[in-house]
Amino acid sequence: MIEDKNPQRTSIAQLGEFGLIEHLTKNFDVTQESTLKSIGDDAAVLDFKDKKVVVSTDLLIEGVHFDLAYMPLKHLGYKSVVVNLSDICAMNAKPTQITVSVAVSNRFPLEALEELFEGITHAAKEYKVDVIGGDTTSSQKGLIISITAIGEANEEEIVYRNGAKQTDLLVVTGDIGAAYMGLQVLEREKQVFQVNPNSQPDLDMYSYLIERQLKPEARKDVRTLLHALEIKPTSMIDISDGLSSEIIHICKQSKVGCNLYEDKLPLDPQFISTCEEFNIDSTTVAINGGEDYELLFTIDINDFDKIKGNPNFSIIGHMADESEGIHLVTRASTKIALKARGWDALSE
């Protein structure tokens, strides 16, 4: 639902498709040398010269990926960009351009789309990517957003999911699980609001968790950090669907096993206390939650001295022979088979 705090509601039909595109894209600047032609022609023109091009695309659908009851449109625009740029970062590449396509129902006035594109514009400037095109159309099912992200890298820099070796160390950036608990807090407050619309939630004690859910950040800094340490990951993936799912992706594509250690998982104190409040096991949430958009990668064991003690990274396990399987090693030293219980958009 959209809270219409402004009595002005400009119908999108007044502008028409081309007028709408011109109105929404007027604030986008071109900053990348590789952008020869952006918005305004039948197609964008890019020139990456001797670099390789990396492309990824995602759909965000109202009622599936986001709930406008608690997701501000500006935050949604920002997040829509970030989740796509995260995929480029997970290839060890530099994001350079995006395209933006939206489908909207007639319940959305122009002012709502302005707010959405304000968030998109902010993300584009924050991550220094050019918005070079897209599409707009109508929808009978609410709001749909599709972003395609483009990036560049030298061929030798690109990291795939299938390069992990048996003796590699498993590393993660930042902390995990907070985005999922932020969603639980928001869902709880939504239910309270539905029962009592006059209630005003006090969310100060959950600020970090909610920010991780509503305004995540792609780890564009990791490429630079690893380069400075003279480390090239052997495999890499972003944590969008849950740590367990992403580990299994790497293991299957690299044909290796893995031991993940429970006591090495990086957990924020606010996350731990909120798990206790909700009576949810923090480890279960941390390995299955998803939407953290941190990077999970493997490195050669010989790079251990380069990365140990670095506050940006946590070594959470090691790879093994494929025959050993994929396990969580608990604090009690018990091995539990790791299963993909993260987000699945097609699950019922």
Side-chain angles (χ1 to χ4, degrees):
M1 77 182 69
I2 298 175
E3 290 186 20
D4 187 10
K5 299 177 180 178
N6 190 332
Q8 180 182 0
R9 288 177 60 91
T10 305
S11 170
I12 293 173
Q14 292 181 22
L15 284 79
E17 180 180 1
F18 299 112
L20 177 64
I21 292 171
E22 184 178 351
H23 180 83
L24 294 176
T25 61
K26 62 186 178 184
N27 294 322
F28 291 138
D29 300 321
V30 173
T31 62
Q32 296 291 332
E33 291 183 5
S34 53
T35 305
L36 299 187
K37 178 66 177 180
S38 60
I39 298 168
D41 220 303
D42 290 308
V45 181
L46 309 179
D47 180 10
F48 288 90
K49 297 182 174 65
D50 57 345
K51 293 194 180 280
K52 300 302 179 184
V53 180
V54 180
V55 182
S56 181
T57 191
D58 264 324
L59 271 173
L60 295 174
I61 299 174
E62 183 179 354
V64 177
H65 300 99
F66 60 88
D67 187 336
L68 291 177
Y70 47 72
M71 169 66 82
L73 285 166
K74 183 177 179 180
H75 285 70
L76 177 60
Y78 190 92
K79 183 174 181 177
S80 299
V81 175
V82 165
V83 301
N84 282 271
L85 298 185
S86 182
D87 286 330
I88 303 300
C89 295
M91 300 295 292
N92 203 36
K94 172 190 172 186
T96 50
Q97 290 92 5
I98 59 171
T99 65
V100 179
S101 296
V102 296
V104 292
S105 67
N106 59 11
R107 88 178 201 270
F108 290 86
L110 175 63
E111 289 75 18
L113 283 185
E114 286 177 335
E115 188 178 341
L116 178 72
F117 270 73
E118 186 180 349
I120 292 172
T121 304
H122 181 56
K125 290 179 179 178
E126 180 71 22
Y127 286 87
K128 296 180 174 59
V129 296
D130 294 340
V131 182
I132 60 168
D135 194 16
T136 59
T137 189
S138 60
S139 165
Q140 295 181 336
K141 299 293 185 182
L143 178 61
I144 300 172
I145 306 168
S146 176
I147 306 265
T148 295
I150 300 164
E152 65 176 31
N154 294 323
E155 186 172 9
E156 65 272 13
E157 295 174 325
I158 298 175
V159 177
Y160 301 94
R161 298 178 182 181
N162 62 359
K165 307 185 301 296
Q166 291 181 18
T167 57
D168 285 351
L169 301 175
L170 184 65
V171 185
V172 71
T173 63
D175 59 81
I176 54 177
Y180 179 85
M181 288 312 298
L183 180 62
Q184 300 315 299
V185 170
L186 290 168
E187 285 287 349
R188 181 183 67 181
E189 297 306 319
K190 175 187 173 181
Q191 293 173 12
V192 172
F193 177 80
Q194 289 173 338
V195 174
N196 180 15
N198 294 320
S199 66
Q200 293 295 319
D202 182 5
L203 301 176
D204 287 347
M205 63 185 296
Y206 309 108
S207 57
Y208 177 69
L209 307 182
I210 292 172
E211 183 175 3
R212 292 280 281 181
Q213 172 58 219
L214 298 185
K215 190 178 175 290
E217 300 291 352
R219 294 305 304 261
K220 64 176 182 176
D221 59 322
V222 169
R223 183 171 181 259
T224 303
L225 290 169
L226 290 174
H227 185 265
L229 294 170
E230 298 182 340
I231 295 174
K232 181 188 175 183
T234 53
S235 67
M236 186 183 287
I237 192 171
D238 78 328
I239 304 176
S240 56
D241 299 329
L243 180 66
S244 59
S245 296
E246 315 303 3
I247 289 174
I248 291 170
H249 283 314
I250 287 178
C251 287
K252 285 186 175 179
Q253 295 200 25
S254 297
K255 294 181 170 53
V256 294
C258 179
N259 288 312
L260 169 69
Y261 291 88
E262 182 182 22
D263 61 351
K264 301 296 183 183
L265 295 174
L267 308 179
D268 183 83
Q270 192 175 103
F271 164 77
I272 295 172
S273 62
T274 306
C275 284
E276 292 173 352
E277 178 189 345
F278 278 69
N279 196 26
I280 299 176
D281 180 67
S282 60
T283 298
T284 300
V285 174
I287 65 176
N288 297 312
E291 286 205 293
D292 291 306
Y293 299 103
E294 296 292 345
L295 294 180
L296 175 74
F297 58 94
T298 54
I299 62 172
D300 191 287
I301 194 168
N302 293 319
D303 288 330
F304 171 74
D305 287 336
K306 297 178 183 178
I307 206 170
K308 68 176 181 180
N310 191 303
N312 297 289
F313 308 111
S314 298
I315 300 172
I316 59 174
H318 62 82
M319 313 317 281
D321 187 271
E322 186 177 18
S323 63
E324 288 190 34
I326 308 168
H327 293 93
L328 171 70
V329 181
T330 69
R331 293 183 179 89
S333 299
T334 302
K335 277 191 172 184
I336 301 174
L338 205 60
K339 296 182 180 179
R341 292 194 176 95
W343 165 254
D344 182 353
L346 300 180
S347 64
E348 295 183 357

